[in-house]
Amino acid sequence: MSESARYVKIVEWSNEDQCFVGSCPGLFYGGCHGSDEKQVFAELCEIVEETLDLYAQDGKALPPTTAGKDYANKMLSFA
């Protein structure tokens, strides 16, 4: 398993921006956006890999991982 698989990646539709927005909570703020959901996810995965590479190059410890925390079901309880 790659290190990037340890971080939750979210792609969701933004009514405000009228496009799909990709983010990786816990690893970085911001993300990417576009009109094609699959393309946004692919770009998001690349950004996560690049971010992890930058952490390694700078000798910084990675933030706590977010995968495996069952966020989807936790979010449903707020809906």
Side-chain angles (χ1 to χ4, degrees):
M1 173 176 47
S2 68
E3 191 67 36
S4 67
R6 299 177 190 276
Y7 292 91
V8 172
K9 297 163 199 74
I10 299 172
V11 175
E12 59 187 336
W13 179 257
S14 168
N15 283 328
E16 181 180 338
D17 300 315
Q18 290 296 297
C19 65
F20 290 99
V21 177
S23 61
C24 187
L27 188 58
F28 56 79
Y29 295 104
C32 55
H33 64 280
S35 60
D36 183 282
E37 185 177 14
K38 289 180 183 180
Q39 192 172 27
V40 170
F41 185 76
E43 185 178 347
L44 177 60
C45 290
E46 288 179 28
I47 293 169
V48 169
E49 289 286 345
E50 291 170 2
T51 301
L52 295 176
D53 288 344
L54 289 173
Y55 270 89
Q57 288 174 14
D58 293 343
K60 293 182 179 178
L62 292 173
T65 59
T66 53
K69 308 266 194 246
D70 199 20
Y71 288 113
N73 284 319
K74 288 178 184 175
M75 284 190 265
L76 286 174
S77 68
F78 291 107

